[in-house]
Amino acid sequence: MPLGPWKKKNKSTKEHLVENEEVGSGHAGAGNPSKSAVNGAGLPPPPANLRPKLVFHTQLAHGSPTGRIEGFANVKELYSKIAEAFNISPPEIMFCTLNTHKIDMDKLLGGQIGLEDFIFAHIKGIKKEVEIHKTEDALGLTITDNGAGYAFIKRIKEGSVVDRVKVISVGDHIECINGRHIVGIRHYEVARMLKDLTKDKSFTLKLVEPMKAFEMLEPRSKGAKPAGDNKIGTGKGTLRLRSKGPATVEDEPTEFEEKAVKKVDDLLENYMGIRDTELAATMVEVGRDKKNPDEFAMALDETLGDFAFPDEFVFDVWGAIGDAKQGRF
């Protein structure tokens, strides 16, 4: 379809926890999975029940014993496995970071987990309510979500309206806007709701901050740096989590994929006020073999029908993918 208006609408923890286990110890999944559909002998891969299991190590970010988890195919299932390991409710988990217990948005778990990555789960802490007077059109927030219905703050622009409200921090989950409960609403819709709030009027946010250990109490961060190196995986491969379809073990992203995904993620922030590496990676995957913007737009509509991307954004994403192919970044 050509470009133009296009739019679619609890078990015991004993069996899971390992006391005093060092985070730095080897914790890669067993075996050596490959992205290829056949093995070195030219034979098809063994049935799923005979393949080596991928086992990941995890802790609660504010402090806990180490747990082992396996057998998840998407973020919601990952949260359920973590919750089972620590005997907590899955909705208590706000988001996860990789290889650090800190609230570091550069290490946020997105659509991929390195096969040797250590997963830290950040759970709900203090609730707070704040009234903000919107003196400018833009609040200075970048919103993302955890893949399970929680929108939270990924970045605060220095000098912005929200930056002047010191009780709001990166990592805070936005629970309500002006009394409207927004759990389950996607990040791009939350960003639109905040943008549409009337200028020169006050509004109220109900927030939940991640639970912190004593040593983690420190001045709030402005969040991930747009130009930073956000490469997470440290193993020889990654587990790609998808919102639709099964998880797959893949090679580490190529230089083209890393550059293209980062650029598309930057465009998502510029146009929509969100950051979402899984969404960016999906768009790059959709566009890498398309011959023109119209074909790309049609493929986006088929793959991501819940979104209504502006035409200018689609053209810019198409250009970014082309630039990455040509090595122009």
Side-chain angles (χ1 to χ4, degrees), residues 177-193:
I177 301 175
N178 280 338
R180 180 181 175 185
H181 201 61
I182 63 166
V183 173
I185 296 178
R186 289 303 308 273
H187 50 11
Y188 57 90
E189 294 173 327
V190 175
R192 186 182 301 123
M193 290 170 61

Side-chain angles (χ1 to χ4, degrees), residues 113-129:
I113 306 174
L115 298 185
E116 296 185 0
D117 282 338
F118 198 105
I119 303 170
F120 289 88
H122 298 255
I123 67 172
K124 291 180 179 179
I126 298 172
K127 291 190 174 186
K128 47 196 179 185
E129 183 171 337

Side-chain angles (χ1 to χ4, degrees), residues 21-290:
E21 182 160 341
E22 303 240 340
V23 173
S25 64
H27 48 263
N32 188 19
S34 171
K35 185 177 179 180
S36 174
V38 295
N39 60 26
L43 300 175
N49 62 339
L50 297 180
R51 297 175 195 168
K53 293 181 178 179
L54 297 176
V55 178
F56 294 87
H57 284 56
T58 183
Q59 288 181 357
L60 300 181
H62 65 280
S64 76
T66 298
R68 291 189 178 95
I69 55 173
E70 60 183 78
F72 54 90
N74 54 51
V75 172
K76 288 184 179 179
E77 291 182 8
L78 167 63
Y79 290 171
S80 293
K81 292 292 184 179
I82 294 173
E84 182 181 0
F86 296 107
N87 197 24
I88 61 175
S89 172
E92 288 297 303
I93 300 173
M94 295 176 60
F95 56 85
C96 294
T97 50
L98 299 177
N99 306 317
T100 179
H101 67 283
K102 295 182 179 180
I103 302 170
D104 184 345
M105 294 294 108
D106 284 336
K107 305 296 185 180
L108 191 67
L109 185 150
Q112 292 185 333
I113 306 174
L115 298 185
E116 296 185 0
D117 282 338
F118 198 105
I119 303 170
F120 289 88
H122 298 255
I123 67 172
K124 291 180 179 179
I126 298 172
K127 291 190 174 186
K128 47 196 179 185
E129 183 171 337
V130 59
E131 184 175 300
I132 304 168
H133 190 68
K134 189 176 182 182
T135 56
E136 302 173 19
D137 290 327
L139 294 171
L141 288 178
T142 297
I143 307 298
T144 190
D145 67 27
N146 70 348
Y150 288 177
F152 61 94
I153 298 170
K154 187 167 186 180
R155 181 155 54 244
I156 299 173
K157 184 178 180 181
E158 190 170 358
S160 65
V161 173
V162 170
D163 188 38
R164 296 192 287 271
V165 184
K166 299 306 179 184
V167 297
I168 301 178
S169 300
V170 166
D172 285 356
H173 160 47
I174 303 174
E175 192 173 55
C176 292
I177 301 175
N178 280 338
R180 180 181 175 185
H181 201 61
I182 63 166
V183 173
I185 296 178
R186 289 303 308 273
H187 50 11
Y188 57 90
E189 294 173 327
V190 175
R192 186 182 301 123
M193 290 170 61
L194 293 170
K195 183 179 180 181
D196 289 345
L197 290 169
T198 305
K199 185 180 177 182
D200 295 324
K201 289 190 175 182
S202 296
F203 65 96
T204 302
L205 293 180
K206 288 186 178 180
L207 306 166
V208 183
E209 68 178 43
M211 187 177 291
K212 300 179 179 71
F214 179 78
E215 65 271 15
M216 292 172 63
L217 299 178
E218 56 188 21
R220 68 175 185 171
S221 168
K222 295 294 190 268
K225 297 178 178 61
D229 182 1
N230 294 344
K231 185 176 179 181
I232 299 293
T234 58
K236 294 182 179 180
T238 61
L239 182 67
R240 174 81 182 273
L241 302 178
R242 304 173 190 272
S243 57
K244 298 178 181 179
T248 55
V249 176
E250 301 180 353
D251 294 333
E252 284 190 338
T254 63
E255 184 178 6
F256 154 73
E257 290 167 337
E258 286 186 348
K259 291 181 176 180
V261 168
K262 182 185 179 306
K263 181 62 178 176
V264 173
D265 203 23
D266 290 343
L267 290 171
L268 283 169
E269 181 174 25
N270 293 339
Y271 278 92
M272 303 177 68
I274 64 174
R275 293 193 78 87
D276 188 329
T277 54
E278 180 187 355
L279 176 59
T282 299
M283 298 181 78
V284 170
E285 190 175 335
V286 167
R288 66 188 306 159
D289 61 347
K290 300 302 178 289

